[in-house]
Amino acid sequence: MQESISIDQLLRQRLEQYKAEPAVSSYGHVLSVSDGILWADGLEGLQLSELVALPNNVFGLALSLAPDHNGIALLNDVSTVEEGMEVRGTGRVIEVPLDGLEGRIVDPIGRPLDGKGPIESRRSRPIEQPAPAIMDRSAVDRPLHTGWLAIDAMVPIGRGQRELIIGDRQTGKTSLAVDAIINQCGRNVRCFYVAIGQKISTVKQVVDELAAHDALSYTTIIAATAADPAPLQYIAPYAGCAMAEGVMYAGGDALIVYDDLSKHAVAYRTMSLLLRRAPGREAYPGDVFYLHSRLLERSAQLSEEKGHGSMTALPIVETMAGDISAYIPTNVISITDGQIFLEEGLFHAGVRPAVNVGLSVSRVGGSAQTKAIRKVASQLRLELSQYNEMKIFAQFGSDLDSATQQQLAYGERLMQVLKQGRYSPMPEEEQAALLFAMTTKGLVQNMEQTTAVQQGLAAYLRTHAPHILTQIHQTGELSQQTAEALTLQVENFLTQLAEQKESLQ
Ligand code: ATP
Ligand code: MG
């Protein structure tokens, strides 16, 4: 009879026999390798997007599955890969760390790029995830304040919204997004900046800007630069998105910038062509819409039951000669909840941020605007559109009636007040006060007063009537009483201005 053994001994026996081996699902061999794409045989049971390991710490991403040859995109150093080398499936998709990311610069696989040592993380998350279900979402109703007056007043963004920033090259797209990140200081929003296919020097500049404005402590930069292989650029936004999801599903608020999705689409096209997929319109593969829709659908405002966290996405798309009806721009426009269109002509005419009011919309953010801003900004879009139309007609004739002249002058004053320099985000209450002064009839009368109000009103109120600003800030409203007090203060400010001018003459 077999001698009975205790559970303790049994466990010991089993533990002694245990061999620590990586979870390998399948083996295969390299058939050929070129341009960062590897073809391998074997690898039975390989999954799509599975991480594949080669000797010398080289990793690849399974992207094309076939019975006799699998297409794998290499994620790092391709120079050591040889024909006949062993390839192993890991049975896992790529995962990124979720903790210890504040103030760090990482690559899309979560490896540090800032020389500050390894990322210590208890949790990780696969980079590809399904988007939150319909029932897990709730309506966008909390503002995500960007600090740009033109945006917060006319194209407001709510937490959980996806707002596209689109424009030609060098029109201030990155600046708009980076300053929105800088404005989140002290607002409890975790920020992620994904740099795709950019020059290393450009990424460095963004890092320096964030550091100089104390924004690094709550920001993570995920970088796949132009020097990195296309597959790494391809996975970068999904990696950033997974990190931001870590914040959202824990009940926090995240803001993620994808800079930019045009370069992302190009990286995907490169990879797809090398994988011998059929090219479609503009040589992009047929699934390029799904490429961005599955990414942007992951941004959401979660319901109360799911913790009420949110992920706001600001994807950036570059256009050629202002053509927003090209393939990638129209795709992304149709996926997002609105777009901010930056126009080159306006940018060079000194209107910065160069927001084209007519073509910029925010489909859901209006309900997230504070009552105070909504009250003072409700007519702004319409008035500016009228102004732009009238300006075109005014070019043809010089004999304009006084009503038209007045309206033109008013439009010009509004355009002036919406101009804003970099690194000077404006708090909500100051935005409300400034727009109140500008849009209330009979207060600001000319351009001189406009620039004075734009530059000095906020400081004047802070010293002479701080309670007005506090009240607007705390209640988010502009009551009748506050409006009257504010009118008085603006009048005082303008009188003081006139007196100063007189004493100078
Ligand atoms: P690219 O196409 O190269 O990515 P971009 O559209 O992202 O360019 P930015 O790099 O943000 O543009 O801005 C271009 C230049 O314009 C920068 O030097 C930036 O400092 C300046 N700029 C952007 N916005 C403003 C602003 N509101 N006021 C003054 N200067 C600005
Ligand atoms: Mg840029």
Side-chain angles (χ1 to χ4, degrees):
M1 208 181 91
Q2 198 184 354
E3 204 181 311
S4 68
I5 53 170
S6 69
I7 290 186
D8 181 47
Q9 283 170 317
L10 189 70
L11 278 175
R12 268 177 210 283
Q13 268 180 15
R14 289 271 165 92
L15 277 174
E16 273 159 19
Q17 286 161 8
Y18 176 76
K19 271 197 216 125
E21 272 180 341
V24 170
S25 69
S26 52
Y27 289 91
H29 292 94
V30 177
L31 291 174
S32 68
V33 57
S34 65
D35 305 312
I37 300 290
L38 174 157
W39 295 93
D41 63 0
L43 289 167
E44 275 158 31
L46 190 69
Q47 294 171 19
L48 199 61
S49 292
E50 185 175 326
L51 191 65
V52 172
L54 288 112
N56 309 321
N57 264 333
V58 177
F59 290 96
L61 192 64
L63 285 175
S64 176
L65 307 184
D68 49 352
H69 63 285
N70 300 293
I72 293 158
L74 292 171
L75 294 171
N76 47 2
D77 192 15
V78 296
S79 57
T80 59
V81 182
E82 290 167 10
E83 199 184 309
M85 240 179 197
E86 194 176 89
V87 188
R88 290 180 290 130
T90 59
R92 295 164 53 185
V93 294
I94 298 174
E95 290 183 7
V96 284
L98 298 183
D99 305 304
L101 290 167
E102 288 86 356
R104 301 300 302 264
I105 309 167
V106 293
D107 77 354
I109 341 184
R111 290 176 303 194
L113 297 174
D114 50 8
K116 290 187 193 165
I119 310 270
E120 307 275 345
S121 181
R122 285 166 281 114
R123 302 173 299 155
S124 66
R125 194 178 170 83
I127 63 167
E128 294 279 359
Q129 291 282 335
I134 299 172
M135 296 311 290
D136 295 343
R137 295 171 183 250
S138 71
V140 170
D141 58 1
R142 294 180 298 148
L144 185 112
H145 192 249
T146 65
W148 290 102
L149 180 62
I151 307 295
D152 294 330
M154 294 189 295
V155 260
I157 301 171
R159 294 190 182 191
Q161 185 174 345
R162 299 145 311 165
E163 183 79 10
L164 170 67
I165 300 175
I166 185 167
D168 280 6
R169 54 178 298 280
Q170 290 290 307
T171 48
K173 305 182 294 298
T174 305
S175 308
L176 203 72
V178 168
D179 282 17
I181 291 181
I182 290 173
N183 188 48
Q184 302 313 315
C185 187
R187 290 172 191 266
N188 216 0
V189 177
R190 269 286 275 122
C191 300
F192 297 85
Y193 177 83
V194 187
I196 311 158
Q198 295 187 36
K199 283 178 294 190
I200 298 176
S201 59
T202 319
V203 181
K204 172 84 174 77
Q205 202 179 338
V206 170
V207 173
D208 289 346
E209 283 170 6
L210 291 171
H213 295 88
D214 297 327
L216 260 192
S217 57
Y218 55 88
T219 307
T220 305
I221 289 130
I222 298 101
T225 61
D228 288 316
L232 213 57
Q233 296 180 31
Y234 157 67
I235 62 168
Y238 304 102
C241 189
M243 290 175 191
E245 273 175 346
V247 175
M248 174 173 75
Y249 285 109
D253 292 311
L255 167 67
I256 183 160
V257 176
Y258 304 111
D259 195 0
D260 64 63
L261 291 187
S262 314
K263 295 197 183 72
H264 182 233
V266 168
Y268 187 57
R269 173 170 68 185
T270 310
M271 231 169 59
S272 300
L273 291 174
L274 289 169
L275 283 164
R276 299 178 207 153
R277 289 191 187 152
R281 185 173 157 192
E282 290 179 24
Y284 289 106
D287 62 346
V288 73
F289 183 85
Y290 179 55
L291 177 78
H292 292 148
S293 66
R294 77 170 193 269
L295 172 72
L296 295 170
E297 279 295 295
R298 285 161 72 181
S299 306
Q301 166 67 65
L302 293 180
S303 62
E304 291 287 348
E305 297 83 60
K306 291 286 167 188
H308 212 235
S310 73
M311 189 204 307
T312 313
L314 295 179
I316 295 178
V317 161
E318 186 181 303
T319 52
M320 306 280 263
D323 182 13
I324 52 172
S325 59
Y327 191 27
I328 301 298
T330 41
N331 276 354
V332 184
I333 284 174
S334 69
I335 303 163
T336 47
D337 308 306
Q339 72 274 348
I340 297 167
F341 179 43
L342 301 179
E343 209 176 85
E344 199 175 10
L346 289 175
F347 189 84
H348 292 309
V351 181
R352 297 177 189 186
V355 180
N356 177 318
V357 183
L359 292 175
S360 302
V361 288
S362 171
R363 296 193 191 101
V364 294
S367 49
Q369 231 171 4
T370 59
K371 282 194 183 137
I373 303 255
R374 203 178 313 160
K375 196 167 169 180
V376 291
S378 58
Q379 297 298 314
L380 214 55
R381 280 179 67 100
L382 187 68
E383 282 167 347
L384 281 176
S385 302
Q386 282 172 348
Y387 160 74
N388 283 330
E389 220 165 88
M390 214 180 271
K391 205 171 68 174
I392 298 169
F393 280 110
Q395 287 171 345
F396 298 118
S398 52
D399 50 345
L400 299 167
D401 60 80
S402 73
T404 313
Q405 274 173 359
Q406 267 178 18
Q407 209 161 357
L408 276 174
Y410 177 59
E412 254 156 49
R413 294 202 293 272
L414 288 183
M415 289 294 280
Q416 170 59 35
V417 91
L418 292 175
K419 287 181 192 168
Q420 195 174 340
R422 292 216 56 194
Y423 320 123
S424 51
M426 204 187 281
E428 295 94 322
E429 58 275 17
E430 291 180 14
Q431 291 182 337
L434 179 57
L435 284 180
F436 177 84
M438 291 307 301
T439 53
T440 305
K441 277 219 160 54
L443 282 180
V444 176
Q445 311 265 357
N446 54 37
M447 196 49 112
E448 194 186 346
Q449 288 178 337
T450 305
T451 40
V453 162
Q454 186 179 22
Q455 286 160 7
L457 182 66
Y460 181 86
L461 289 176
R462 259 180 267 139
T463 42
H464 292 85
H467 58 280
I468 297 183
L469 293 178
T470 320
Q471 190 147 31
I472 304 176
H473 178 72
Q474 282 170 351
T475 59
E477 287 186 41
L478 193 66
S479 64
Q480 186 62 33
Q481 208 184 351
T482 320
E484 278 164 19
L486 191 54
T487 312
L488 202 67
Q489 291 300 333
V490 178
E491 280 167 358
N492 289 348
F493 174 79
L494 292 173
T495 320
Q496 199 189 49
L497 187 79
E499 282 168 5
Q500 275 171 0
K501 204 177 142 192
E502 237 167 60
S503 67
L504 282 176
Q505 276 169 357

